[in-house]
């Protein structure tokens, strides 16, 4: 069903617009909704030595030009072709090794022959809309690129960014943000020969295999729509859960945008998280980020903004005090570990974690102090000599002997516990809330206008 609908739209675009006199500018703009985009499939260390393309209807060679496709030689009789890199030339042969093209050129593109933008081409058995471009590397390998229309790219992205079973208006909001992101980030990987990669670095893209009817409907119903502020496309950042407040972009990164303002998120489902990190782990993370704190001695929150997000974390070390600001807190300690900037922390303390240690005789806890003394029932104080007392901090137990202080020092396990709400950087649309709003009957443009300030959707 959805395929028929897309065909209808394409036919309308192709056949109706040229008939309207004086509308060339409009038709150019409408056609821009079909603008092609280059998605890297195999590149860098994953570049290939050779590859196989297949299409039930045969192939159509052509050229990628101005975000469109110019037809060249048809190859309708072949269902399978083999691609190799011969000294910098991309060579096409059939299954029997017969040469079909000695060099398709760096702008060459192989489409399925039935492509009225509805054909499917298989790269090593994986189906894609649009065509495949191949760029020779000087080391003899090949960069593989999927060249397809923006709308078809969004078909293959949306389910990975927000699952297809979610309510339609939330999917539509996500389609508009994904499209805005892609259009604004064209050429992000231009040094490698394509626009966007198919991973979380850009947006996760799974090709035709990632499409679902609900996804296609959401994309079609927002066809070509993007978010604008002051007439310019916006950076439509999004993330999973706000923790109750979204963030001013300048409170997260060192940029400022009038449309990325903090809003109280009344629709946020509660998303609590907690994690305990040892001082050693924190020290290792800081060192990996280029700091030299020495032995970590304490961790403290220095500053919050009005939403409760932590703006500065102070980590005192034996050699250096490190101040992690804003998103550097998450990027340094791990964005999946410190899930959001809205958190409280409990530091086990600088003196051998004394406040968290429990001194026990095996059955009942005793209160620790600097040195452990036993007070008898009639008030006689005696310094502890027994070997049968143990200290326990919830993770490990150490025996308290004559050299109690040394034992605690050697066996200490200093930790910082973080407990917070939300997941993600907090800038722009919270996906969990978009889903909740859609369930409550809000439309996709109302959802977008809630999270992005002073915007226009068109
Ligand atoms: Zn990328």
């Amino acid at each position: 069903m959805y395929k028929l609908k897309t065909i209808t739209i394409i036919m309308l675009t192709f056949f109706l617009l040229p008939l309207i006199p004086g509308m060339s500018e409009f038709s150019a703009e409408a056609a821009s909704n079909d603008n092609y985009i280059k998605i890297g499939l195999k590149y860098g260390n994953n570049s290939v030595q050779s590859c196989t393309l297949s299409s039930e209807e045969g192939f159509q060679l052509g050229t990628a030009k101005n975000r469109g496709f110019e037809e060249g030689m048809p190859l309708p009789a072949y269902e399978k072709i083999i691609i190799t890199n011969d000294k910098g030339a991309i060579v096409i042969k059939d299954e029997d090794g017969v040469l079909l093209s000695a060099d398709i050129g760096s702008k060459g593109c192989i489409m399925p022959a039935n492509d009225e933008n509805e054909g499917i081409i298989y790269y090593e058995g994986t189906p894609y809309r649009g065509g495949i471009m191949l760029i020779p590397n000087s080391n003899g390998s090949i960069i593989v690129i999927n060249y397809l229309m923006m709308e078809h790219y969004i078909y293959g992205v949306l389910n990975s960014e927000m699952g297809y079973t979610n309510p339609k208006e939330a999917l539509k909001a996500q389609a508009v943000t994904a499209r805005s992101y892609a259009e604004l980030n064209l050429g992000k990987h231009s040094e490698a020969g394509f626009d966007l990669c198919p991973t979380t670095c850009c947006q996760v893209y799974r090709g035709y295999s990632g499409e679902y009817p609900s996804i296609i409907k959401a994309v079609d119903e927002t066809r070509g729509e993007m978010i604008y502020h002051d007439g310019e496309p916006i950076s439509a950042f999004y993330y999973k859960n706000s923790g109750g407040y979204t963030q001013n972009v300048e409170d997260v990164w060192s940029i400022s945008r009038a449309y990325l303002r903090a809003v109280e998120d009344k629709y946020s489902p509660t998303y609590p998280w907690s994690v305990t990190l040892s001082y050693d782990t924190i020290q290792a993370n800081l060192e990996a980020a280029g700091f030299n704190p020495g032995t970590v001695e304490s961790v403290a929150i220095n500053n919050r903004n009005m939403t409760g997000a932590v703006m500065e974390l102070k980590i005192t070390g034996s050699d250096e005090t490190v101040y992690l600001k804003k998103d550097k807190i998450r990027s340094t300690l791990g964005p999946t570990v410190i899930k959001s900037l809205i958190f409280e922390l409990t530091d086990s303390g600088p003196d051998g974690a004394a406040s968290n240690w429990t001194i026990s005789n095996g059955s009942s806890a005793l209160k620790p102090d600097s040195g452990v003394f036993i007070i008898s029932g009639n008030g006689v104080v005696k310094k502890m000599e027994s070997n049968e007392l143990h200290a326990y901090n919830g993770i490990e137990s150490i025996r308290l002997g004559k050299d109690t202080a040394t034992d605690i020092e050697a066996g200490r396990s200093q930790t910082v516990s973080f407990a917070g709400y939300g997941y993600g950087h907090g800038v722009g649309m919270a996906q969990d809330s978009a889903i909740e709003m859609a369930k409550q009957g809000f439309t996709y443009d109302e959802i977008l206008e809630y999270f992005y300030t002073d915007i226009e959707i068109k």
Side-chain angles (χ1 to χ4, degrees):
M1 278 302 285
Y2 56 84
K3 213 168 181 184
L4 273 177
K5 188 171 178 185
T6 317
I7 291 170
T8 315
I9 291 169
I10 287 162
M11 285 175 65
L12 285 175
T13 315
F14 268 72
F15 297 117
L16 280 186
L17 289 174
L19 297 178
I20 305 170
M23 291 296 281
S24 58
E25 253 188 72
F26 172 68
S27 66
E29 196 170 284
S32 78
N33 294 340
D34 291 344
N35 277 350
Y36 281 67
I37 182 167
K38 294 177 186 171
I39 310 299
L41 298 181
K42 299 289 171 186
Y43 49 92
N45 292 336
N46 292 322
S47 300
V48 297
Q49 295 302 316
S50 68
C51 63
T52 304
L53 302 180
S54 48
S55 157
E56 286 163 15
E57 316 283 333
F59 300 95
Q60 170 73 58
L61 299 192
T63 312
K65 205 170 180 185
N66 299 327
R67 297 189 69 187
F69 177 70
E70 221 171 67
E71 287 188 2
M73 179 175 67
L75 291 172
Y78 301 91
E79 284 190 17
K80 194 178 270 189
I81 51 178
I82 318 294
I83 315 290
T84 52
N85 174 359
D86 183 9
K87 300 184 189 74
I90 295 295
V91 175
I92 305 179
K93 291 178 179 169
D94 73 5
E95 287 180 273
D96 301 322
V98 176
L99 186 69
L100 302 177
S101 172
D103 187 4
I104 66 167
S106 62
K107 291 196 186 318
C109 179
I110 304 169
M111 289 276 182
N114 60 348
D115 182 59
E116 279 299 311
N117 291 310
E118 286 301 314
I120 301 295
I121 195 166
Y122 292 81
Y123 167 80
E124 298 290 355
T126 305
Y128 292 96
R129 290 181 189 262
I132 299 289
M133 295 179 71
L134 305 132
I135 298 177
N137 273 322
S138 51
N139 66 3
S141 64
I142 302 169
I143 298 168
V144 182
I145 294 165
N146 186 197
Y147 185 61
L148 78 171
M149 294 198 303
M150 177 64 83
E151 296 302 300
H152 290 167
Y153 163 68
I154 305 297
Y155 283 175
V157 159
L158 200 48
N159 177 63
S160 301
E161 301 294 326
M162 182 185 275
Y164 71 96
T165 56
N166 281 301
K168 187 168 80 174
E169 294 301 315
L171 290 175
K172 285 164 71 175
Q174 185 71 60
V176 176
T177 58
R179 191 183 288 111
S180 302
Y181 176 89
E183 199 63 44
L184 206 68
N185 286 279
L186 283 178
K188 185 174 171 187
H189 290 277
S190 57
E191 84 293 338
F194 51 90
D195 290 310
L196 301 178
C197 75
T199 74
T200 50
C201 153
C202 292
Q203 299 187 114
V204 176
Y205 168 68
R206 296 205 192 289
Y208 187 68
S209 318
E211 296 184 10
Y212 296 85
S214 60
I215 294 290
I216 290 172
K217 214 167 165 50
V219 176
D220 287 350
E221 289 185 16
T222 59
R223 185 180 172 79
E225 288 184 8
M226 298 198 290
I227 312 172
Y228 297 81
H229 171 82
D230 272 352
E232 298 292 327
I234 74 163
S235 299
F237 295 108
Y238 58 88
Y239 55 93
K240 181 173 170 52
N241 188 293
S242 72
Y245 253 105
T246 80
Q247 300 299 321
N248 291 324
V249 65
E250 67 270 22
D251 284 351
V252 177
W253 302 302
S254 48
I255 56 170
S256 184
R257 296 284 183 278
Y259 51 85
L260 296 172
R261 314 308 308 155
V263 294
E264 187 181 359
D265 183 358
K266 289 180 285 197
Y267 305 97
S268 183
T270 307
Y271 189 98
W273 60 269
S274 64
V275 67
T276 298
L277 299 180
S278 70
Y279 277 17
D280 290 347
T281 300
I282 291 171
Q283 182 182 345
N285 284 332
L286 290 176
E287 285 170 356
F291 297 103
N292 297 298
T295 306
V296 170
E297 293 172 348
S298 69
V299 181
I301 291 169
N302 237 14
N303 191 13
R304 291 181 191 273
N305 69 11
M306 48 79 73
T307 74
V310 176
M311 294 291 97
E312 190 172 81
L313 200 61
K314 179 185 179 184
I315 302 165
T316 307
S318 57
D319 295 346
E320 186 190 332
T321 297
V322 177
Y323 297 90
L324 293 179
K325 291 187 197 327
K326 306 176 186 180
D327 192 58
K328 281 281 184 293
I329 298 168
R330 295 183 66 229
S331 59
T332 304
L333 299 180
T336 60
V337 177
I338 307 299
K339 288 191 162 64
S340 68
L341 286 178
I342 300 178
F343 62 79
E344 300 287 344
L345 67 77
T346 313
D347 188 343
S348 67
D351 300 321
S355 59
N356 279 1
W357 286 88
T358 304
I359 309 297
S360 82
N361 60 8
S363 56
S364 55
L366 304 171
K367 198 168 171 18
D369 205 338
S370 51
V372 176
F373 294 83
I374 298 168
I375 305 172
S376 71
N378 57 11
V380 176
V381 177
K382 197 177 171 214
K383 190 150 196 275
M384 191 202 72
E385 299 289 350
S386 167
N387 283 337
E388 294 181 23
L389 289 181
H390 291 74
Y392 179 63
N393 69 350
I395 299 168
E396 59 179 325
S397 178
I398 61 167
R399 199 183 69 177
L400 301 177
K402 286 177 183 169
D403 301 320
T404 299
T406 322
D407 282 352
I408 287 184
E409 185 66 22
R412 72 181 187 177
S413 172
Q414 290 172 307
T415 58
V416 189
S417 295
F418 299 77
Y421 290 96
Y423 197 172
H425 48 66
V427 179
M429 184 177 78
Q431 294 170 307
D432 281 357
S433 306
I435 292 164
E436 180 57 30
M437 289 177 79
K439 282 178 185 164
Q440 292 187 22
F442 289 93
T443 59
Y444 76 100
D445 45 333
E446 289 170 336
I447 294 170
L448 293 171
E449 279 160 7
Y450 188 76
F451 288 106
Y452 304 103
T453 306
D454 272 343
I455 54 154
E456 195 186 351
I457 300 155
K458 60 181 183 184

